[in-house]
Amino acid sequence: MARQDRLRRISQSHDRRRPGRSIRLWRKLAIWVLYPRTDRGFWYGFAIDLLWPVLMAVARWDFRGGEQVPTRGGALLAVNHLSHVDPIVLVSYVLANGRVPRFLAMKELWGKTVVGAPLRGGRHIPVDRKASGIEAYRAAVEAVQRGEIVVVYPEGGFAEHSDGWPRAARTGVARMALETGAPVIPVGQWGSNHLLPPTATRPTLFPRPTLRVLAGPPVALDDLRECRIGRKALQEATDRIMGRITEQLAVLRGEEPPARPDEQEPAATADLQPPAVS
């Protein structure tokens, strides 16, 4: 715990700098030395250690609100989705706060030569997009109940052409939250869409983009947990979660969100559609 406490102090002391400023290089290097190296699996750990310096080199980081990531116990991180590199950014953010995250990812990736090994070794959760998603849902619930940090993208995917504000979301994360009682941490991120825009095949390296991540206090859902988990409670919980994610994103962008959220259907065909990972 002493190592985790030191890591979190170093990471979270960045919050005292003016918003928009990049994490200093010495701080990123210190985080790299101290971040968790157990409970990752060999190939997941190898991928982390390989990609961390690459991400440091190609982008600036502005990670804030890390004190909201629980030091122990299960939790759900609900995050807006912008780019194929989002999971890499969120791995860096969660590790910088002393935890090892688990992700939901499409089942097809488990058979890929390069990506499959880290997914299998890291105990990530495969989602069959052609099925109902119930197996992935149960696996995610079990992971939270084991005390894991599970990252969920409620939108299910990202639009290739959008203004970057969150779209309509599925109710999977709300159902998990109400069933497990685990806290839902709303996380806004901005900048991954500048590093690798949705329609791009290669990253934009000049000028170096700033990857900005901000977590807020847990979403208040206790009143809904006292009710039967029905459609109304799930929709209300989902609306609260997405509203809080939008608030974090508005802070990062320094803009007011649209008066009405985008009503288009998300790209997902199931409640637990995973992020697109390449």
Side-chain angles (χ1 to χ4, degrees):
M1 288 301 298
R3 183 187 181 98
Q4 185 192 50
D5 291 343
R6 185 181 178 192
L7 169 63
R8 289 172 68 92
R9 284 198 302 272
I10 291 172
S11 176
Q12 294 166 21
S13 62
H14 170 71
D15 286 37
R16 294 195 293 267
R17 302 193 76 199
R18 181 169 56 83
R21 298 292 297 273
S22 173
I23 295 178
R24 296 184 186 277
L25 177 59
W26 74 263
R27 202 181 303 276
K28 289 193 285 187
L29 292 172
I31 294 169
W32 187 19
V33 170
L34 293 171
Y35 66 50
R37 285 177 167 77
T38 59
D39 197 32
R40 303 187 311 182
F42 176 79
W43 288 111
Y44 184 30
F46 178 80
I48 290 169
D49 292 338
L50 180 67
L51 292 173
W52 186 280
V54 173
L55 198 63
M56 281 199 299
V58 301
R60 298 180 176 89
W61 302 2
D62 184 19
F63 293 172
R64 298 177 182 273
E67 72 277 3
Q68 304 299 339
V69 178
T71 57
R72 61 180 66 84
L76 295 157
L77 264 61
V79 193
N80 63 306
H81 202 6
L82 299 167
S83 167
H84 289 290
V85 299
D86 289 349
I88 300 173
V89 177
L90 264 294
V91 166
S92 301
Y93 180 78
V94 178
L95 284 173
N97 290 287
R99 299 297 300 272
V100 179
R102 314 296 174 191
F103 287 81
L104 289 91
M106 51 190 177
K107 185 177 180 180
E108 294 84 350
L109 293 176
W110 262 247
K112 300 291 185 181
T113 302
V114 176
V115 180
L119 290 173
R120 292 189 297 270
R123 300 202 310 274
H124 299 291
I125 302 165
V127 180
D128 187 348
R129 295 186 297 174
K130 299 177 182 178
S132 66
I134 189 63
E135 291 184 2
Y137 171 81
R138 289 172 178 165
V141 166
E142 290 173 2
V144 171
Q145 291 173 336
R146 285 196 306 270
E148 304 271 17
I149 292 282
V150 176
V151 178
V152 182
Y153 296 92
E155 298 164 89
F158 54 82
E160 291 189 351
H161 302 284
S162 79
D163 58 4
W165 292 105
R167 303 178 301 149
R170 300 288 181 172
T171 59
V173 65
R175 185 179 292 274
M176 283 190 283
L178 296 183
E179 179 172 340
T180 63
V184 179
I185 312 301
V187 180
Q189 64 161 339
W190 189 247
S192 61
N193 51 319
H194 300 148
L195 176 61
L196 186 67
T199 57
T201 58
R202 60 184 63 186
T204 300
L205 303 180
F206 302 100
R208 289 173 69 206
T210 299
L211 304 173
R212 306 188 64 192
V213 184
L214 175 64
V219 182
L221 299 174
D222 287 347
D223 59 318
L224 299 177
R225 293 186 175 111
E226 298 172 356
C227 307
R228 185 180 67 87
I229 304 178
R231 180 176 298 179
K232 184 176 180 180
L234 288 173
Q235 190 58 57
E236 174 63 25
T238 301
D239 291 344
R240 292 184 192 180
I241 292 167
M242 295 309 297
R244 292 291 308 285
I245 293 172
T246 302
E247 288 176 8
Q248 308 310 310
L249 181 59
V251 172
L252 294 180
R253 294 178 61 166
E255 304 173 18
E256 288 293 324
R260 296 184 60 186
D262 188 347
E263 296 295 337
Q264 65 177 306
E265 283 297 309
T269 58
D271 275 2
L272 291 177
Q273 174 71 18
V277 182
S278 59

